[in-house]
Amino acid sequence: MKRTNWKTIYFVILLLFVPKRAMAMHIMEGFLPIEWAIFWWAVTLPFLILGYRSIRSKVRENPETKMMLGLSGAFVFILSALKIPSVTGSSSHPTGVGLGSILFGPLAMSVVGSIVLLFQAVLLAHGGLTTLGANAFSMAVCGPFIAYFVFKGATKLGWSFSFAVFLAAAFGDLGTYVVTSIQLALAFPSEVGGFMASFSKFAGIFALTQIPLAISEGLLTVVVMNFLKKYNLGELKLLRVLSKEAR
Amino acid sequence: MLLIDKYAYFNGLKDVHPLEKMVFALSLMLFSLTVRDMTVSLITFTVMSALIIFAAKIPLSYYLKLLLLPGFFILSGTITILISFTSKFTSFSNIWWSWKVGNWQIFISDDSIGTVINLITVVLGSISCLYFLTLTTPITVILSVMRKLKVPSLLVDLIELTYRFIFIFLETALAIHQSQASRLGYGSLMKGIRSLGLLTSSLFLGVLQRSGHLTMAMNARGYQENLSYIEDTYTYSSRNWLIAIVILGSLIFINEYL
């Protein structure tokens, strides 16, 4: 009985808030003023360099990692191209951020995520080149780090593996959108109320449509991680090359 | 879905040197983003669209569809900029429309209308530059230019590997998805999440296995540190450079003097 109630509530929330085409994920080409585009590139670059360095040293130790990371990039791209199921027939894609950073670690994920964003801009016309810095900061840097720290924190608190994975994926997904809203609000502050007023408007539109999707992505990531743990333990151990936190 | 990639390989401008196309598209994009002028953006949009449709011979209907893709983002992004809230006691001089609800008033000011119109034209201008680049130049060719520009080879290799495998995994994923869907695997939300979870994890297993096989195959061929590819040869054309310089030059002139 309790289970059905929970499902009904979720169903209603989804029906209420998910628009027909929630493609609002990445900031499109030309939307950000050039100063902000450059600023976000500058903020993202250190993470990319750190991530690149960590990947380079791992590849030197173990050449297989290069293939694995390249293929994982393709994997994350496919995840983002597949539609997350939802009742309204609307669709939005999972960011794949939580899964990626739990499996590969946040630094490697910042490079892989940026590559995925590049392809989304070039192959799917989703996002842009000048706004790639801003999009990479929200989806490939903030999302993974939030997911990673939430996962670590939840594990440290002794919460169950599934719950930790759920929280990590859901918060990583939500965090990405909050950061996107901050970026948009900084670039386009309201005439009255400035940044805060503008932020609440953007966050209102983006985060509200995103909450049910974040829950969906959290559930999906739990299902995936449990399947992986059950059947592919050997392969997961291979991943320890990439990140110590995979289990 | 990846029709955009097919056109990149087969279009009217496929034999033009990639560096020429990249320099042209990116410099126009950066210029229209820097000046943020309506006229400049509209001219950029017109020129780029004309090149895409007449020179690259991309079907008009497909190009229009591409332009509609970012529609939702434009809509949600500009509506939030357009509409502002304030308490009902504040009054402004330049209000175009307002509506009082309780203690609040919702309003649209003249300034925000200006911002939004400007924003939409700038977006159109720069997005047409992006489309010009992606519809006329395949990724592999862009990557070979990046290699020549001394972008770190590990990064280019990662991008290249990602690109190659996107299509293989996509095919697998779509086949799994189709067979799941035909067995009502996406009949309800919970089933959908379970099915997608199965799909993702078996795809992930495939990724791991393939990367092992790929390493083995590469080692058998004497793989050391970098991947090497055979590259196509392109020739520079002074006519194309001249066209690019004339277009950019006249845009700068228009921006300065008109």
Side-chain angles (χ1 to χ4, degrees):
Chain A
M1 187 59 207
K2 212 178 166 193
R3 220 180 141 76
T4 357
N5 275 341
W6 183 81
K7 266 192 216 168
T8 324
I9 291 166
Y10 181 58
F11 183 84
V12 170
I13 293 174
L14 217 59
L15 268 182
L16 278 178
F17 291 117
V18 179
K20 271 278 169 264
R21 276 178 73 82
M23 288 277 280
M25 174 129 181
H26 310 316
I27 302 174
M28 60 194 288
E29 187 66 83
F31 205 81
L32 285 183
I34 188 86
E35 312 86 55
W36 282 109
I38 294 171
F39 174 78
W40 291 114
W41 265 107
V43 173
T44 312
L45 217 53
F47 290 95
L48 289 183
I49 292 171
L50 283 179
Y52 178 75
R53 284 202 175 149
S54 84
I55 287 178
R56 195 178 54 187
S57 66
K58 277 168 190 160
V59 168
R60 283 218 181 105
E61 273 171 39
N62 198 334
E64 283 166 48
T65 9
K66 179 152 92 183
M67 309 294 163
M68 186 118 94
L69 280 172
L71 269 63
S72 320
F75 174 71
V76 176
F77 180 90
I78 304 301
L79 274 196
S80 68
L82 288 171
K83 314 280 190 239
I84 219 169
S86 73
V87 255
T88 51
S90 76
S91 63
S92 180
H93 50 216
T95 60
V97 154
L99 188 62
S101 57
I102 292 169
L103 290 175
F104 308 118
L107 269 182
M109 195 56 204
S110 66
V111 177
V112 173
S114 304
I115 294 176
V116 171
L117 280 167
L118 174 74
F119 281 121
Q120 287 186 337
V122 178
L123 292 178
L124 301 179
H126 190 189
L129 294 180
T130 56
T131 52
L132 187 64
N135 288 329
F137 183 72
S138 64
M139 201 190 100
V141 175
C142 286
F145 273 95
I146 292 172
Y148 177 74
F149 285 120
V150 168
F151 183 70
K152 283 256 124 175
T155 318
K156 214 164 241 171
L157 285 173
W159 292 347
S160 77
F161 175 76
S162 294
F163 193 54
V165 169
F166 172 79
L167 286 181
F171 277 103
D173 184 305
L174 269 185
T176 302
Y177 284 84
V178 172
V179 174
T180 304
S181 308
I182 292 176
Q183 289 170 329
L184 287 171
L186 279 172
F188 302 100
S190 275
E191 290 158 62
V192 189
F195 167 76
M196 273 323 286
S198 183
F199 171 71
S200 53
K201 282 192 288 176
F202 279 114
I205 283 205
F206 289 153
L208 268 186
T209 58
Q210 198 55 31
I211 285 170
L213 291 168
I215 295 172
S216 289
E217 177 161 1
L219 291 177
L220 178 70
T221 312
V222 171
V223 173
V224 173
M225 285 306 289
N226 283 336
F227 277 129
L228 287 177
K229 246 174 76 171
K230 218 174 189 173
Y231 301 113
N232 309 324
L233 207 63
E235 275 77 11
L236 277 188
K237 278 186 186 139
L238 260 180
L239 282 178
R240 281 174 184 267
V241 183
L242 283 170
S243 72
K244 298 271 183 276
E245 65 270 15
R247 55 197 67 209
Chain B
M1 187 177 81
L2 299 178
L3 205 58
I4 207 170
D5 198 49
K6 190 190 128 195
Y7 284 123
Y9 282 97
F10 305 103
N11 65 77
L13 296 173
K14 67 177 176 358
D15 295 322
V16 177
H17 195 290
L19 194 64
E20 288 170 357
K21 288 182 281 194
M22 284 168 77
V23 169
F24 177 58
L26 292 180
S27 56
L28 271 187
M29 183 196 282
L30 287 180
F31 183 69
S32 78
L33 271 178
T34 325
V35 299
R36 296 189 86 78
D37 181 71
M38 247 176 82
T39 338
V40 169
S41 297
L42 281 178
I43 294 175
T44 312
F45 177 68
T46 321
V47 169
M48 280 306 190
S49 305
L51 284 174
I52 289 170
I53 293 160
F54 298 113
K57 304 208 167 50
I58 307 295
L60 179 66
S61 57
Y62 182 66
Y63 180 57
L64 288 178
K65 230 181 256 170
L66 276 186
L67 285 177
L68 284 180
L69 265 186
F72 182 80
F73 190 89
I74 284 212
L75 211 68
S76 61
T78 50
I79 283 179
T80 36
I81 294 172
L82 204 59
I83 296 173
S84 311
F85 300 92
T86 183
S87 74
K88 75 172 176 189
F89 306 109
T90 335
S91 61
F92 297 94
S93 53
N94 56 352
I95 282 194
W96 181 75
W97 175 86
S98 75
W99 185 43
K100 289 195 169 71
V101 199
N103 277 330
W104 291 87
Q105 66 170 332
I106 303 169
F107 70 95
I108 296 175
S109 73
D110 290 341
D111 288 348
S112 61
I113 294 179
T115 315
V116 164
I117 292 176
N118 185 271
L119 194 60
I120 290 176
T121 52
V122 172
V123 162
L124 277 180
S126 53
I127 216 162
S128 63
C129 297
L130 177 71
Y131 283 163
F132 173 78
L133 191 62
T134 57
L135 284 168
T136 61
T137 325
I139 312 261
T140 44
V141 177
I142 295 180
L143 287 178
S144 70
V145 173
M146 278 166 78
R147 263 200 197 97
K148 283 193 190 112
L149 295 175
K150 302 270 181 280
V151 175
S153 65
L154 174 60
L155 190 65
V156 182
D157 283 353
L158 279 179
I159 300 178
E160 188 106 52
L161 278 170
T162 308
Y163 178 70
R164 300 246 174 230
F165 277 91
I166 279 176
F167 298 92
I168 295 171
F169 292 146
L170 195 61
E171 215 165 86
T172 323
L174 289 180
I176 298 175
H177 190 276
Q178 199 171 27
S179 67
Q180 285 177 328
S182 66
R183 292 175 177 83
L184 300 180
Y186 293 91
S188 72
L189 180 71
M190 280 313 176
K191 270 187 196 159
I193 284 178
R194 197 187 128 83
S195 299
L196 203 60
L198 272 168
L199 191 163
T200 312
S201 47
S202 60
L203 197 64
F204 187 72
L205 181 65
V207 170
L208 290 171
Q209 280 176 348
R210 258 184 195 271
S211 80
H213 293 167
L214 189 62
T215 318
M216 244 189 274
M218 299 292 281
N219 286 339
R221 290 169 201 182
Y223 161 71
Q224 291 289 321
E225 277 235 320
N226 293 317
L227 310 172
S228 6
Y229 298 92
I230 297 175
E231 278 167 20
D232 291 333
T233 46
Y234 294 92
T235 44
Y236 288 111
S237 120
S238 40
R239 194 190 62 140
N240 290 342
W241 284 109
L242 195 68
I243 294 175
I245 289 170
V246 166
I247 292 178
L248 191 65
S250 39
L251 265 183
I252 294 174
F253 179 80
I254 288 168
N255 183 48
E256 287 286 316
Y257 298 104
L258 297 176

